[in-house]
Amino acid sequence: MQSPNPPAVSVDQARQDYEAHRRYCRQCALNGSPCPAAKHLRRVHNNATRATRSGQGGRTTSW
């Protein structure tokens, strides 16, 4: 049985996953725009960033 709350993803790992996907995904390379998987990975990164900065206040920015 899986736990209801999956372990948190580090910001660095999320960024590396997104960048690696964009480099090697045929669909991203073909269209020049992010595919649905890349968009998901970017949301994971944004959520991880937001979670680490939640105590600092202010608005976070994406790439």
Side-chain angles (χ1 to χ4, degrees), residues 8-60:
V9 177
S10 75
V11 175
D12 293 331
Q13 182 63 48
R15 180 180 294 246
Q16 290 172 2
D17 291 345
Y18 173 75
E19 291 173 351
H21 176 84
R22 290 289 305 214
R23 272 194 304 275
Y24 299 113
C25 175
R26 291 184 299 160
Q27 185 176 350
C28 289
L30 180 66
N31 295 337
S33 62
C35 71
K39 290 178 182 178
H40 170 75
L41 291 171
R42 185 168 45 193
R43 280 193 299 272
V44 170
H45 171 267
N46 290 343
N47 289 340
T49 302
R50 197 173 300 117
T52 59
R53 295 183 181 176
S54 64
Q56 295 177 1
R59 187 167 175 85
T60 62

